[in-house]
Amino acid sequence: MTDPQIALMMLGIFIAFVFLGFPIAFTLMALGIGFGYYAYFDPSRMWRAYNRLAEDASWWDSTSLWIEGFYNNRIFDLFVNQTYTVISNEVLTAIPLFLFMGYIVERANIVDKLFGTLAIATRNIPGSMGVAALVTCALFATATGIVGAVVTLMGLLALPQMLRARYDHSFATGIICAGGTLGILIPPSIMLIVYAASSGVSIVRLYAGALLPGFTLVGLYLIYIIGRSILNPQLAPKPTKEEMPEVPFMKLAWMLATSFLPLALLIFSVLGSILFGLATPTEAASIGALGGIVLAVAYRAMTFQRLRESVYLTVRTTAMVCWLFVGSYTFSAVFSYLGGEHVIAEFVQGLDLTPFQFLIMAQLIIFLLGWPLEWSEIIIIFVPIFLPLLPVFGIDPLFFGVLVALNLQTSFLTPPMAMSAYYLKGVAPPQVKLTAIFKGVLPYCGMVIICMGLLYTFPQIVFALPEAFYGPSR
């Protein structure tokens, strides 16, 4: 077999192991080291000290030198260097800080007050509780960036209230599932940090580029919720005065000031300090982590147990992401060295695609990968395969990254592997069926596709803010 054929076999074995359920990070490292040992095998380098042994050398000397030669393969040097590269990457330093901010905010008892206040404030809007749930999900998802945490917590807090208000099961669950995934698109998104580290795109420009598409998607969701509530009021009945009594304006303003305003200020201070150049993403994430602690203390929700849980979850998630990076860097280096990347590039170029057709093909592949894989695995492992092809088709990696972030919304919403639906089913009342949740999320998949179509048609939605803040990209 030729080296490129071995590289493709390496990729095929990895995909097979993924579907068999092996841990992805350690599978990447094992395949990278295993195939890398073959790729970098050089007997003249590895056993040169062994060959200089005297004839009367002891068994211990010959055995130890042979073992030393066995491990004197450049794949181990590569593995150590890739590990050091990941650990010293300044962009990735922001990940544990943003994660810590999210886990602390999750435990600060903000969400229940926020949802209740927004439900009262929007009571005269059709589908008011749905609107309140989506806005709460968007704010909370932006602060945490953790889909499972947002969907689960909103399923415990908002879904029972919506069901008591006689909301249709599919309609109510679809709102929570779709709103919970927004955190991987709207800055400060951890997914965008991971993409920036993988692609070399400026995280600041990437955050600016993702803002308008994120708000566009939220706008489409709100139009759908309000529109369907007007066309079919039985889906989201208007609350009666007994269910939601009138609240004096000053009291409502105070409720908003103590629930909505603190979280919004925390998010905007973190994001604003990044976009306006007042702080690096890592410094802004530090501010966010401190702000999360202050909020938890202010809401009297800070305990040693909650702090301990937040630190533990932060370390666990960060370790998972970093080991994925180490495995991916090692795997991709060996894959490229064997010529696999060149084979894929030649194959794609041989299809004679237009830039638009290439984008459609790439996004379709990412959409399908979203069924069995998490977003972190797609961004770290598979997206780098497409990155070298972007200059060939004249596609800006910033634009591609925002499209990928938008596309990955569907990976959480598309049956039968819609993870947000399973997160919600785990905490939903027994009468809420999984089929009803699947039915509820499908319209939001359609709106994601509509939003992607808008970006294809009007790419300035992505480029407007980065160019306004930082000038045209070079």
Side-chain angles (χ1 to χ4, degrees):
M1 293 179 70
T2 63
D3 283 354
Q5 289 173 332
I6 291 175
L8 294 178
M9 181 178 72
M10 176 185 177
L11 182 62
I13 292 173
F14 168 69
I15 294 172
F17 280 6
V18 168
F19 281 98
L20 288 173
F22 283 79
I24 291 179
F26 298 107
T27 300
L28 284 168
M29 286 186 279
L31 289 175
I33 292 174
F35 281 86
Y37 197 91
Y38 158 79
Y40 295 106
F41 187 79
D42 183 3
S44 62
R45 173 183 183 270
M46 294 166 64
W47 281 285
R48 60 190 174 194
Y50 180 78
N51 293 333
R52 292 197 298 269
L53 274 176
E55 291 184 2
D56 59 346
S58 67
W59 174 87
W60 174 257
D61 289 338
S62 60
T63 302
S64 60
L65 275 178
W66 189 90
I67 293 173
E68 181 183 332
F70 179 83
Y71 285 105
N72 191 19
N73 187 299
R74 283 182 293 171
I75 184 59
F76 298 110
D77 298 331
L78 174 69
F79 182 70
V80 172
N81 289 335
Q82 300 292 27
T83 304
Y84 177 77
T85 300
V86 171
I87 293 172
S88 60
N89 191 322
E90 292 185 3
V91 175
L92 295 179
T93 310
I95 290 178
L97 294 168
F98 276 129
L99 284 171
F100 181 73
M101 179 184 80
Y103 284 123
I104 282 289
V105 168
E106 179 189 347
R107 285 155 177 75
N109 296 335
I110 298 175
V111 179
D112 52 345
K113 296 178 182 178
L114 178 59
F115 173 71
T117 302
L118 290 176
I120 295 172
T122 59
R123 67 185 309 276
N124 294 319
I125 299 175
S128 58
M129 293 186 76
V131 172
L134 182 70
V135 175
T136 304
C137 280
L139 271 174
F140 186 43
T142 302
T144 62
I146 306 160
V147 173
V150 179
V151 173
T152 301
L153 191 56
M154 288 299 293
L156 291 170
L157 296 176
L159 183 60
Q161 296 187 46
M162 295 169 78
L163 296 180
R164 282 196 295 270
R166 306 177 306 283
Y167 271 57
D168 178 80
H169 289 188
S170 296
F171 190 66
T173 54
I175 293 169
I176 293 174
C177 289
T181 65
L182 289 168
I184 63 172
L185 172 62
I186 302 176
S189 162
I190 294 171
M191 195 228 80
L192 295 179
I193 297 175
V194 174
Y195 177 81
S198 301
S199 63
V201 176
S202 165
I203 182 60
V204 177
R205 297 185 71 93
L206 196 56
Y207 273 1
L211 268 180
L212 288 182
F215 290 143
T216 301
L217 188 61
V218 172
L220 288 173
Y221 287 174
L222 288 173
I223 291 171
Y224 171 77
I225 293 169
I226 296 172
R228 283 210 67 188
S229 301
I230 293 172
L231 295 174
N232 188 358
Q234 292 182 347
L235 292 176
K238 189 174 180 180
T240 62
K241 289 186 178 181
E242 290 75 19
E243 294 172 334
M244 194 169 294
E246 292 282 354
V247 174
F249 176 78
M250 292 305 297
K251 183 178 179 181
L252 179 59
W254 174 250
M255 291 169 66
L256 286 170
T258 55
S259 60
F260 174 82
L261 200 57
L263 184 58
L265 282 176
L266 175 63
I267 295 169
F268 291 139
S269 62
V270 170
L271 189 55
S273 62
I274 296 173
L275 295 180
F276 292 107
L278 302 176
T280 65
T282 303
E283 292 166 348
S286 303
I287 296 169
L290 177 61
I293 293 174
V294 171
L295 277 184
V297 172
Y299 280 88
R300 299 180 181 178
M302 174 59 76
T303 63
F304 178 76
Q305 180 63 25
R306 287 172 178 171
L307 180 63
R308 181 173 175 272
E309 289 175 0
S310 300
V311 171
Y312 168 73
L313 292 170
T314 299
V315 171
R316 189 180 69 175
T317 307
T318 303
M320 180 270 291
V321 172
C322 288
W323 280 120
L324 271 175
F325 264 105
V326 171
S328 174
Y329 280 11
T330 306
F331 183 94
S332 59
V334 174
F335 183 76
S336 179
Y337 184 80
L338 290 171
E341 194 174 279
H342 183 66
V343 170
I344 292 176
E346 281 190 339
F347 172 75
V348 174
Q349 292 176 44
L351 296 176
D352 198 24
L353 300 173
T354 65
F356 178 76
Q357 290 171 333
F358 169 75
L359 279 175
I360 294 295
M361 181 194 73
Q363 297 304 322
L364 181 60
I365 292 172
I366 291 170
F367 171 79
L368 295 175
L369 288 172
W371 290 6
L373 299 177
E374 293 279 353
W375 66 261
S376 54
E377 295 148 7
I378 295 172
I379 295 294
I380 296 172
I381 302 164
F382 289 98
V383 167
I385 295 175
F386 295 106
L387 292 175
L389 296 168
L390 299 184
V392 176
F393 292 96
I395 298 170
D396 192 312
L398 186 150
F399 182 73
F400 186 76
V402 175
L403 280 178
V404 170
L406 192 56
N407 190 354
L408 288 176
Q409 303 285 312
T410 61
S411 68
F412 288 93
L413 300 175
T414 309
M417 301 298 290
M419 287 308 300
S420 61
Y422 293 105
Y423 291 142
L424 185 57
K425 177 57 183 171
V427 297
Q431 67 268 25
V432 178
K433 304 299 182 185
L434 186 61
T435 52
I437 302 176
F438 283 159
K439 180 182 175 183
V441 299
L442 284 177
Y444 297 93
C445 293
M447 279 172 280
V448 172
I449 294 171
I450 291 172
C451 192
M452 293 179 70
L454 289 173
L455 296 195
Y456 284 124
T457 309
F458 307 104
Q460 277 303 112
I461 297 175
V462 174
F463 295 116
L465 288 183
E467 291 177 357
F469 285 146
Y470 316 111
S473 59
R474 297 178 181 177

